[in-house]
Amino acid sequence: AAGVIQSPRHLIKEKRETATLKCYPIPRHDTVYWYQQGPGQDPQFLISFYEKMQSDKGSIPDRFSAQQFSDYHSELNMSSLELGDSALYFCASSLGRWEASYEQYFGPGTRLTVT
Amino acid sequence: AQSVSQHNHHVILSEAASLELGCNYSYGGTVNLFWYVQYPGQHLQLLLKYFSGDPLVKGIKGFEAEFIKSKFSFNLRKPSVQWSDTAEYFCAVTITGGFKTIFGAGTRLFVKA
């Protein structure tokens, strides 16, 4: 079965650079979620989109922005990168309808290292 | 603010021992509850979920969890663990009608062969 695809899987950037992470949800899924997981920490919810509109917002820094496109893939744009942004960034997708919306399928993550 | 507490950060068990991982959440309204597992080097996978109905839910790999509304708890259990259960386990809560998911800090389980 098709899973959530994230690219790139690994990314190394320097401080103050920008990065773009991409997420391709499972086919027919219309909701995308972004999470940040620091070393040894639990996943922190950043932001979610349902039908190309922002549906909820968590602890996403102002330096980050995200959007969901017409094909339902999503991109997380990160600017002015800081050392503390080094983390594993997970994307998850779900069907945003009734109870099915609460079952999220996670991608493998993008490991971002800021040097 | 909503929060999820997992009582044990590290658990070490021998194979065939019974497992119970505690999870409590703080929110007065209706919630959906999840347990996710993260094997070393892998992404999060859903173990089981509770939306409504029977408070005792069964998941994959012999895991089950019981929702006790009066205690705001959703403890994970397995009668007999295996070495392959070594992983990190996360309890998570989504407020019904919302999209934001709050994760607990995780419990790292190590099963000795």
mmCIF file of all heavy atoms in Angstrom, chain B residues 25-50:
data_model
loop_
_atom_site.group_PDB
_atom_site.id
_atom_site.type_symbol
_atom_site.label_atom_id
_atom_site.label_comp_id
_atom_site.label_asym_id
_atom_site.label_seq_id
_atom_site.Cartn_x
_atom_site.Cartn_y
_atom_site.Cartn_z
ATOM 1 N N TYR B 25 -4.262 12.190 30.372
ATOM 2 C CA TYR B 25 -4.383 13.420 29.598
ATOM 3 C C TYR B 25 -5.194 14.425 30.407
ATOM 4 O O TYR B 25 -5.948 14.072 31.321
ATOM 5 C CB TYR B 25 -5.051 13.142 28.245
ATOM 6 C CG TYR B 25 -6.484 12.701 28.358
ATOM 7 C CD1 TYR B 25 -7.529 13.611 28.278
ATOM 8 C CD2 TYR B 25 -6.790 11.362 28.558
ATOM 9 C CE1 TYR B 25 -8.834 13.211 28.407
ATOM 10 C CE2 TYR B 25 -8.102 10.949 28.686
ATOM 11 C CZ TYR B 25 -9.122 11.873 28.612
ATOM 12 O OH TYR B 25 -10.426 11.461 28.750
ATOM 13 N N SER B 26 -5.028 15.666 30.049
ATOM 14 C CA SER B 26 -5.789 16.703 30.724
ATOM 15 C C SER B 26 -6.599 17.449 29.676
ATOM 16 O O SER B 26 -6.058 18.187 28.855
ATOM 17 C CB SER B 26 -4.863 17.682 31.456
ATOM 18 O OG SER B 26 -4.072 18.392 30.540
ATOM 19 N N TYR B 27 -7.877 17.185 29.676
ATOM 20 C CA TYR B 27 -8.829 17.918 28.825
ATOM 21 C C TYR B 27 -10.208 17.480 29.248
ATOM 22 O O TYR B 27 -10.472 16.292 29.393
ATOM 23 C CB TYR B 27 -8.613 17.632 27.343
ATOM 24 C CG TYR B 27 -9.566 18.388 26.460
ATOM 25 C CD1 TYR B 27 -9.462 19.769 26.323
ATOM 26 C CD2 TYR B 27 -10.595 17.730 25.787
ATOM 27 C CE1 TYR B 27 -10.359 20.477 25.543
ATOM 28 C CE2 TYR B 27 -11.493 18.438 25.005
ATOM 29 C CZ TYR B 27 -11.369 19.811 24.880
ATOM 30 O OH TYR B 27 -12.242 20.524 24.104
ATOM 31 N N GLY B 28 -11.098 18.426 29.440
ATOM 32 C CA GLY B 28 -12.412 18.095 29.964
ATOM 33 C C GLY B 28 -13.419 17.639 28.933
ATOM 34 O O GLY B 28 -14.468 17.112 29.288
ATOM 35 N N GLY B 29 -13.115 17.828 27.665
ATOM 36 C CA GLY B 29 -14.075 17.497 26.622
ATOM 37 C C GLY B 29 -13.841 16.119 26.025
ATOM 38 O O GLY B 29 -13.126 15.289 26.576
ATOM 39 N N THR B 30 -14.439 15.912 24.883
ATOM 40 C CA THR B 30 -14.343 14.616 24.207
ATOM 41 C C THR B 30 -13.035 14.533 23.436
ATOM 42 O O THR B 30 -12.665 15.461 22.724
ATOM 43 C CB THR B 30 -15.511 14.442 23.232
ATOM 44 O OG1 THR B 30 -16.728 14.656 23.947
ATOM 45 C CG2 THR B 30 -15.522 13.042 22.654
ATOM 46 N N VAL B 31 -12.357 13.402 23.603
ATOM 47 C CA VAL B 31 -11.062 13.237 22.963
ATOM 48 C C VAL B 31 -11.008 11.919 22.198
ATOM 49 O O VAL B 31 -11.822 11.027 22.403
ATOM 50 C CB VAL B 31 -9.911 13.253 23.994
ATOM 51 C CG1 VAL B 31 -9.798 14.608 24.666
ATOM 52 C CG2 VAL B 31 -10.097 12.144 25.022
ATOM 53 N N ASN B 32 -10.055 11.861 21.317
ATOM 54 C CA ASN B 32 -9.686 10.616 20.651
ATOM 55 C C ASN B 32 -8.276 10.272 21.121
ATOM 56 O O ASN B 32 -7.413 11.143 21.206
ATOM 57 C CB ASN B 32 -9.718 10.784 19.137
ATOM 58 C CG ASN B 32 -11.105 11.190 18.665
ATOM 59 O OD1 ASN B 32 -12.044 10.421 18.722
ATOM 60 N ND2 ASN B 32 -11.221 12.422 18.211
ATOM 61 N N LEU B 33 -8.054 9.009 21.411
ATOM 62 C CA LEU B 33 -6.814 8.596 22.055
ATOM 63 C C LEU B 33 -6.071 7.578 21.200
ATOM 64 O O LEU B 33 -6.699 6.724 20.552
ATOM 65 C CB LEU B 33 -7.132 7.984 23.425
ATOM 66 C CG LEU B 33 -7.821 8.955 24.387
ATOM 67 C CD1 LEU B 33 -8.636 8.206 25.421
ATOM 68 C CD2 LEU B 33 -6.783 9.818 25.069
ATOM 69 N N PHE B 34 -4.775 7.675 21.220
ATOM 70 C CA PHE B 34 -3.942 6.824 20.372
ATOM 71 C C PHE B 34 -2.708 6.359 21.139
ATOM 72 O O PHE B 34 -2.226 7.035 22.043
ATOM 73 C CB PHE B 34 -3.444 7.603 19.138
ATOM 74 C CG PHE B 34 -4.519 8.264 18.335
ATOM 75 C CD1 PHE B 34 -5.007 9.510 18.702
ATOM 76 C CD2 PHE B 34 -5.036 7.647 17.218
ATOM 77 C CE1 PHE B 34 -6.004 10.131 17.964
ATOM 78 C CE2 PHE B 34 -6.030 8.265 16.469
ATOM 79 C CZ PHE B 34 -6.509 9.508 16.841
ATOM 80 N N TRP B 35 -2.213 5.219 20.733
ATOM 81 C CA TRP B 35 -0.867 4.801 21.081
ATOM 82 C C TRP B 35 -0.119 4.550 19.780
ATOM 83 O O TRP B 35 -0.605 3.836 18.898
ATOM 84 C CB TRP B 35 -0.867 3.531 21.923
ATOM 85 C CG TRP B 35 -1.062 3.774 23.386
ATOM 86 C CD1 TRP B 35 -2.221 3.695 24.097
ATOM 87 C CD2 TRP B 35 -0.057 4.133 24.336
ATOM 88 N NE1 TRP B 35 -1.995 3.995 25.408
ATOM 89 C CE2 TRP B 35 -0.681 4.264 25.595
ATOM 90 C CE3 TRP B 35 1.330 4.353 24.248
ATOM 91 C CZ2 TRP B 35 0.021 4.607 26.757
ATOM 92 C CZ3 TRP B 35 2.030 4.695 25.396
ATOM 93 C CH2 TRP B 35 1.380 4.815 26.634
ATOM 94 N N TYR B 36 1.066 5.165 19.706
ATOM 95 C CA TYR B 36 1.946 4.972 18.557
ATOM 96 C C TYR B 36 3.225 4.299 19.039
ATOM 97 O O TYR B 36 3.660 4.483 20.178
ATOM 98 C CB TYR B 36 2.317 6.305 17.911
ATOM 99 C CG TYR B 36 1.203 6.958 17.130
ATOM 100 C CD1 TYR B 36 0.342 7.866 17.738
ATOM 101 C CD2 TYR B 36 1.015 6.672 15.785
ATOM 102 C CE1 TYR B 36 -0.677 8.475 17.017
ATOM 103 C CE2 TYR B 36 -0.002 7.267 15.059
ATOM 104 C CZ TYR B 36 -0.846 8.167 15.682
ATOM 105 O OH TYR B 36 -1.855 8.762 14.963
ATOM 106 N N VAL B 37 3.841 3.554 18.141
ATOM 107 C CA VAL B 37 5.119 2.929 18.448
ATOM 108 C C VAL B 37 6.152 3.399 17.429
ATOM 109 O O VAL B 37 5.827 3.595 16.248
ATOM 110 C CB VAL B 37 5.020 1.387 18.439
ATOM 111 C CG1 VAL B 37 4.564 0.849 17.078
ATOM 112 C CG2 VAL B 37 6.348 0.742 18.831
ATOM 113 N N GLN B 38 7.352 3.603 17.898
ATOM 114 C CA GLN B 38 8.443 4.021 17.021
ATOM 115 C C GLN B 38 9.610 3.070 17.250
ATOM 116 O O GLN B 38 10.298 3.151 18.274
ATOM 117 C CB GLN B 38 8.845 5.468 17.311
ATOM 118 C CG GLN B 38 9.824 6.056 16.317
ATOM 119 C CD GLN B 38 10.055 7.549 16.547
ATOM 120 O OE1 GLN B 38 9.960 8.055 17.658
ATOM 121 N NE2 GLN B 38 10.350 8.287 15.479
ATOM 122 N N TYR B 39 9.812 2.147 16.321
ATOM 123 C CA TYR B 39 10.936 1.231 16.418
ATOM 124 C C TYR B 39 12.217 1.983 16.065
ATOM 125 O O TYR B 39 12.179 2.985 15.353
ATOM 126 C CB TYR B 39 10.735 0.027 15.506
ATOM 127 C CG TYR B 39 9.537 -0.794 15.893
ATOM 128 C CD1 TYR B 39 8.344 -0.706 15.177
ATOM 129 C CD2 TYR B 39 9.576 -1.650 16.995
ATOM 130 C CE1 TYR B 39 7.229 -1.441 15.555
ATOM 131 C CE2 TYR B 39 8.465 -2.379 17.374
ATOM 132 C CZ TYR B 39 7.304 -2.262 16.652
ATOM 133 O OH TYR B 39 6.203 -2.985 17.038
ATOM 134 N N PRO B 40 13.338 1.506 16.552
ATOM 135 C CA PRO B 40 14.601 2.212 16.317
ATOM 136 C C PRO B 40 14.819 2.523 14.839
ATOM 137 O O PRO B 40 14.763 1.644 13.991
ATOM 138 C CB PRO B 40 15.649 1.227 16.848
ATOM 139 C CG PRO B 40 14.920 0.446 17.894
ATOM 140 C CD PRO B 40 13.526 0.309 17.391
ATOM 141 N N GLY B 41 15.020 3.794 14.540
ATOM 142 C CA GLY B 41 15.307 4.216 13.182
ATOM 143 C C GLY B 41 14.108 4.256 12.255
ATOM 144 O O GLY B 41 14.258 4.471 11.054
ATOM 145 N N GLN B 42 12.927 4.054 12.804
ATOM 146 C CA GLN B 42 11.737 4.031 11.958
ATOM 147 C C GLN B 42 10.766 5.143 12.340
ATOM 148 O O GLN B 42 10.951 5.829 13.331
ATOM 149 C CB GLN B 42 11.041 2.677 12.056
ATOM 150 C CG GLN B 42 11.880 1.524 11.536
ATOM 151 C CD GLN B 42 11.091 0.242 11.465
ATOM 152 O OE1 GLN B 42 9.860 0.242 11.346
ATOM 153 N NE2 GLN B 42 11.795 -0.879 11.526
ATOM 154 N N HIS B 43 9.720 5.295 11.513
ATOM 155 C CA HIS B 43 8.750 6.332 11.796
ATOM 156 C C HIS B 43 7.631 5.809 12.695
ATOM 157 O O HIS B 43 7.564 4.617 12.979
ATOM 158 C CB HIS B 43 8.186 6.884 10.489
ATOM 159 C CG HIS B 43 7.548 5.849 9.614
ATOM 160 N ND1 HIS B 43 8.271 4.962 8.859
ATOM 161 C CD2 HIS B 43 6.251 5.553 9.383
ATOM 162 C CE1 HIS B 43 7.448 4.198 8.181
ATOM 163 N NE2 HIS B 43 6.225 4.516 8.485
ATOM 164 N N LEU B 44 6.814 6.706 13.125
ATOM 165 C CA LEU B 44 5.703 6.360 14.017
ATOM 166 C C LEU B 44 4.688 5.467 13.310
ATOM 167 O O LEU B 44 4.325 5.707 12.167
ATOM 168 C CB LEU B 44 5.003 7.633 14.480
ATOM 169 C CG LEU B 44 5.771 8.505 15.470
ATOM 170 C CD1 LEU B 44 5.198 9.904 15.497
ATOM 171 C CD2 LEU B 44 5.710 7.885 16.856
ATOM 172 N N GLN B 45 4.244 4.470 14.048
ATOM 173 C CA GLN B 45 3.190 3.581 13.532
ATOM 174 C C GLN B 45 2.080 3.500 14.563
ATOM 175 O O GLN B 45 2.345 3.451 15.764
ATOM 176 C CB GLN B 45 3.747 2.175 13.299
ATOM 177 C CG GLN B 45 4.876 2.110 12.282
ATOM 178 C CD GLN B 45 5.477 0.725 12.233
ATOM 179 O OE1 GLN B 45 4.757 -0.278 12.210
ATOM 180 N NE2 GLN B 45 6.789 0.645 12.223
ATOM 181 N N LEU B 46 0.855 3.446 14.084
ATOM 182 C CA LEU B 46 -0.282 3.370 14.984
ATOM 183 C C LEU B 46 -0.412 1.964 15.568
ATOM 184 O O LEU B 46 -0.451 0.979 14.836
ATOM 185 C CB LEU B 46 -1.554 3.743 14.231
ATOM 186 C CG LEU B 46 -2.842 3.750 15.047
ATOM 187 C CD1 LEU B 46 -2.804 4.866 16.080
ATOM 188 C CD2 LEU B 46 -4.052 3.911 14.137
ATOM 189 N N LEU B 47 -0.491 1.883 16.887
ATOM 190 C CA LEU B 47 -0.713 0.610 17.576
ATOM 191 C C LEU B 47 -2.212 0.352 17.758
ATOM 192 O O LEU B 47 -2.707 -0.739 17.491
ATOM 193 C CB LEU B 47 -0.073 0.636 18.970
ATOM 194 C CG LEU B 47 1.327 0.091 19.162
ATOM 195 C CD1 LEU B 47 1.700 0.172 20.630
ATOM 196 C CD2 LEU B 47 1.456 -1.332 18.651
ATOM 197 N N LEU B 48 -2.888 1.354 18.266
ATOM 198 C CA LEU B 48 -4.329 1.245 18.495
ATOM 199 C C LEU B 48 -4.910 2.629 18.733
ATOM 200 O O LEU B 48 -4.177 3.595 18.939
ATOM 201 C CB LEU B 48 -4.633 0.321 19.689
ATOM 202 C CG LEU B 48 -3.848 0.503 20.971
ATOM 203 C CD1 LEU B 48 -4.354 1.669 21.781
ATOM 204 C CD2 LEU B 48 -3.900 -0.767 21.832
ATOM 205 N N LYS B 49 -6.234 2.683 18.673
ATOM 206 C CA LYS B 49 -6.904 3.968 18.837
ATOM 207 C C LYS B 49 -8.243 3.775 19.524
ATOM 208 O O LYS B 49 -8.837 2.699 19.456
ATOM 209 C CB LYS B 49 -7.126 4.620 17.471
ATOM 210 C CG LYS B 49 -7.985 3.787 16.523
ATOM 211 C CD LYS B 49 -8.059 4.424 15.160
ATOM 212 C CE LYS B 49 -9.002 3.667 14.235
ATOM 213 N NZ LYS B 49 -8.437 2.384 13.783
ATOM 214 N N TYR B 50 -8.681 4.819 20.202
ATOM 215 C CA TYR B 50 -10.016 4.830 20.803
ATOM 216 C C TYR B 50 -10.735 6.086 20.339
ATOM 217 O O TYR B 50 -10.253 7.204 20.528
ATOM 218 C CB TYR B 50 -9.941 4.811 22.334
ATOM 219 C CG TYR B 50 -11.299 5.006 22.951
ATOM 220 C CD1 TYR B 50 -12.202 3.949 23.043
ATOM 221 C CD2 TYR B 50 -11.713 6.264 23.400
ATOM 222 C CE1 TYR B 50 -13.455 4.130 23.581
ATOM 223 C CE2 TYR B 50 -12.969 6.453 23.930
ATOM 224 C CZ TYR B 50 -13.834 5.385 24.023
ATOM 225 O OH TYR B 50 -15.091 5.572 24.535
#
